[in-house]
Amino acid sequence: GTWLEGACEPVTCDPPPNIFHGSYYCTDGFRFDSVCRLNCSDSVGIPAVAAARGSVHTGLGSNVIRCRKDGNWTGSFRLCPDSKGQCSLPQNLHYSLQYSCKRGHGIGEECELSCREGNNEVVILPSNMTAKSVYKEHWRNPQKIKNIVCTMKLKWYPSPELLHCIKGCENFMGDNYCDAINNRAFCNYDGGDCCQSTVKTKKVIPFPTACDTRNECSCRDPNAIENRNEEHVHSLG
């Protein structure tokens, strides 16, 4: 028999709402028992690290929260009493993007994002990645973004400069035909249609038929049996 290498995943909590981005400090990220403190003006003079690590009350109604072992916070952040103002209009947006701020630009308000070209998706692209590289390097799976929010620091989050439009997925995933345009991580490798071990019919049918099964229509899914890394499989004889 064989053992598949296992791993212990630590308990983590979801990040606090985006409106608070950049305004809090956590002792250990979002891991279990990490304490996060919101930096309001009434805590001026108390170093953020010391405040978060000190003996402080946590829970509902407090701007200090702790990640519990069940993956939930002990409470939730409240907007600081002196928080006011609004974000300026989003700047440095890529030409392929457009936005709509139906409720204005105040703290906590969101602007909806969309792409000028149909069937495109708004994503966050790091500085070392381009829209072309995402399509060519099938393992790239950038985060999809629907809107940006005006934070307590009066800055848009995510940062507009990091947002781009890339080609979206065609609505043919999981139809038993390997569609080249969907054969990438961003489209869940066409819903498994491009690997013999994952396609429902157990037979890969490329689309279009001229699509090269050794290239664009090859089995690229790293989780498919065909591509499992033998280094992670330990034989017991």
Side-chain angles (χ1 to χ4, degrees), residues 79-166:
L79 200 62
C80 294
D82 61 342
S83 297
K84 58 184 178 180
Q86 61 181 17
C87 291
S88 58
L89 290 174
Q91 302 292 320
N92 302 321
L93 273 178
H94 193 264
Y95 66 86
S96 62
L97 281 161
Q98 54 190 6
Y99 65 90
S100 173
C101 308
K102 296 180 180 179
R103 299 182 59 179
H105 311 132
I107 295 174
E109 301 299 346
E110 297 180 344
C111 292
E112 186 177 347
L113 302 168
S114 60
C115 297
R116 298 182 186 278
E117 188 175 339
N119 196 32
N120 277 17
E121 297 270 9
V122 182
V123 298
I124 295 179
L125 289 186
S127 57
N128 64 343
M129 201 182 300
T130 65
K132 288 185 178 180
S133 69
V134 168
Y135 188 70
K136 290 182 178 179
E137 299 169 345
H138 65 83
W139 58 89
R140 303 288 188 186
N141 193 9
Q143 180 184 354
K144 296 180 183 179
I145 297 295
K146 296 296 183 184
N147 49 57
I148 53 177
V149 63
C150 179
T151 68
M152 270 179 46
K153 284 186 170 293
L154 302 183
K155 294 182 178 180
W156 292 106
Y157 182 79
S159 177
E161 291 87 350
L162 300 178
L163 304 178
H164 294 264
C165 286
I166 67 170

Side-chain angles (χ1 to χ4, degrees), residues 169-176 179 182 187-191 193:
C169 306
E170 297 291 345
N171 192 28
F172 304 127
M173 293 182 288
D175 66 350
N176 298 324
D179 300 280
N182 287 343
C187 301
N188 193 28
Y189 292 104
D190 202 26
D193 287 338

Side-chain angles (χ1 to χ4, degrees), residues 2 4 197-198 219-233:
T2 59
L4 293 179
S197 65
T198 54
C219 178
R220 293 173 167 178
D221 185 353
N223 294 317
I225 293 176
E226 294 91 326
N227 297 321
R228 282 185 183 170
N229 190 340
E230 294 183 359
E231 292 180 1
H232 294 286
V233 179

